[in-house]
Amino acid sequence: MPTYGGAQPVITAGGTTVYTNGAATGGVSGLAYDGKDASYVYFTVRPGTWTLTATGTGRLDDLALGRQVTSSNSLENGDWGRNRLTDGKLRSVTGAKGYTSTEFPSADVSANPIWVEVDLGADTDLDAVRLFPRTDTVAASGGTAGFPVDFTIQTRPDGATSYTTVRTVTGQPNPDGLVQTYGFRTTTGRYLRLHATRLGSPASDETAKYRLQLAELTVPTAATTVTTNCTLENGDWGKTRILDGTTTSVTGAKGFTSIDFPSADVSRTPVWIEIDLGADRTIGAVTLHPRTDTGGAGGGSAGFPVDFTIQTRPDGATSYTTARTVTGQPNPNGAAQTYTLASATGRYVRLQATRLGTPASDETTKYRLQLAEILVR
């Protein structure tokens, strides 16, 4: 039964309390307490039909936490190991630096790709993965050591033998110690695999040895990485498509669109979309990629916001800080727009629009917030 770090979870079976105040209570024939961890309380039960209910639970931010990891290539010692990739430690510390492969003489490992795979325990909906870089030692050329450059994210359902590639990343810039979130169209799977064909910079203490190295890999609960107050979801549009790596609008992945409004002025009920970066980090800039598949009525880009703010919120906080205010944004005419932020930090980044841009040429009276992609640096 999931508890997800809740302060005072209570579990009942058929209306009888079987777990409370951090301990099992017993009292239900055929059900026996079998331990607990940070995310679950375990029971064994006799075959039959059971109704168990948990209240007072938290929200599971990481489906991969504590889950078993397998790998094609792993170095195991006092600091590094496969299962340290899912131990909940987001930074590399002595005794728990994360996962590292063995060494290779060059960055190109396409002839023998390196993979690490997390067993999530059961089929579940997935729409994003987060990679936390190694942080204990910098790369030989500066920045992060061992972060993959070319890789795919693959999933496999329980009982299946083949994998589906849900995200392809080519030429990943050095993340400079910052967590990176990769979104993809919602899929169902039990196994999630990172499959690398080109490795990043070696560490400064072994400049000729290339490795795949990560402090942690996390899998957020589906529909929590990107949230919004008025999204339209269909075969082409969806909120998670603003993180899918596709910076132009193509069939099946056009980006994000809000529902339609009768006028550009939405200041009474601002339209917002928010990205959960997975952990507090510095935020230097936000780039908005316009919708590109259809032009605006009268020309230019459709749906690009005119008046908006970029806001940040730290982990655990409830209030937002406005990091950038934009008023009277000219139509970008298909070009990405980058907005630098001064001294911004946080886990959450929110774009909040009060005036929308030009309607699309195929729906000239419907105003929407529309973007192909949002990139946070």
Side-chain angles (χ1 to χ4, degrees):
M1 290 296 292
T3 55
Y4 304 156
Q8 290 292 330
V10 176
I11 301 172
T12 62
T16 299
T17 299
V18 293
Y19 182 91
T20 188
N21 295 321
T25 61
V28 174
S29 177
L31 180 146
Y33 175 68
D34 197 32
K36 64 180 179 178
D37 58 27
S39 298
Y40 297 91
V41 174
Y42 298 92
F43 299 92
T44 57
V45 296
R46 284 204 304 255
T49 301
W50 294 84
T51 300
L52 286 89
T53 303
T55 58
T57 64
R59 191 190 82 179
L60 181 60
D61 283 328
D62 180 14
L63 297 169
L65 182 63
R67 293 299 184 179
Q68 182 178 0
V69 178
T70 54
S71 174
S72 62
N73 185 297
S74 176
L75 176 65
E76 304 283 328
N77 60 30
D79 285 319
W80 301 94
R82 288 185 299 271
N83 288 324
R84 292 193 177 95
L85 190 64
T86 58
D87 64 2
K89 295 178 174 61
L90 306 183
R91 298 181 61 82
S92 302
V93 297
T94 300
K97 291 186 176 180
Y99 162 84
T100 183
S101 69
T102 58
E103 66 190 73
F104 293 83
S106 72
D108 186 356
V109 292
S110 56
N112 293 288
I114 302 171
W115 58 263
V116 288
E117 179 173 297
V118 181
D119 178 356
L120 301 174
D123 280 341
T124 188
D125 286 342
L126 308 170
D127 62 15
V129 65
R130 296 190 177 106
L131 303 183
F132 288 80
R134 176 185 184 182
T135 60
D136 65 305
T137 301
V138 298
S141 55
T144 293
F147 202 85
V149 174
D150 296 346
F151 59 95
T152 58
I153 297 166
Q154 305 172 343
T155 61
R156 177 167 64 92
D158 193 12
T161 56
S162 60
Y163 291 82
T164 298
T165 296
V166 293
R167 180 73 185 265
T168 299
V169 178
T170 305
Q172 165 69 48
N174 192 296
D176 289 320
L178 300 178
V179 55
Q180 303 294 301
T181 299
Y182 303 95
F184 44 85
R185 191 167 181 170
T186 303
T187 188
T188 301
R190 172 174 175 170
Y191 302 92
L192 185 141
R193 176 176 285 198
L194 171 68
H195 188 270
T197 54
R198 179 170 289 275
L199 306 179
S201 302
S204 58
D205 58 355
E206 45 179 22
T207 58
K209 297 178 180 180
Y210 292 82
R211 304 178 188 269
L212 174 61
Q213 296 179 315
L214 295 168
E216 190 83 355
L217 181 154
T218 69
V219 181
T221 306
T224 62
T225 302
V226 181
T227 52
T228 177
N229 61 341
C230 39
T231 182
L232 175 66
E233 303 279 329
N234 60 29
D236 285 320
W237 300 95
K239 61 182 186 291
T240 58
R241 292 189 179 94
I242 61 143
L243 287 183
D244 65 4
T246 305
T247 57
T248 57
S249 303
V250 297
T251 300
K254 291 185 177 181
F256 164 81
T257 183
S258 70
I259 58 175
D260 64 271
F261 295 86
S263 72
D265 185 356
V266 291
S267 57
R268 294 185 64 181
T269 54
V271 180
W272 59 264
I273 183 166
E274 179 173 296
I275 299 172
D276 177 357
L277 302 174
D280 284 336
R281 48 162 282 189
T282 58
I283 304 164
V286 174
T287 299
L288 306 182
H289 292 265
R291 175 186 183 181
T292 61
D293 64 307
T294 300
S301 296
F304 201 86
V306 173
D307 296 345
F308 58 95
T309 57
I310 298 171
Q311 305 172 342
T312 62
R313 177 167 63 91
D315 192 9
T318 57
S319 60
Y320 292 82
T321 298
T322 296
R324 181 74 184 263
T325 299
V326 178
T327 304
Q329 165 68 49
N331 192 297
N333 291 306
Q337 304 294 302
T338 297
Y339 305 93
T340 57
L341 310 180
S343 303
T345 60
R347 173 173 175 168
Y348 302 91
V349 178
R350 175 177 287 199
L351 171 69
Q352 180 165 282
T354 54
R355 179 169 290 275
L356 306 178
T358 306
S361 57
D362 57 355
E363 46 179 22
T364 58
T365 62
K366 296 180 179 181
Y367 292 83
R368 303 179 188 268
L369 174 61
Q370 296 179 315
L371 296 167
E373 188 86 354
I374 296 179
L375 179 63
V376 179
R377 295 195 185 278

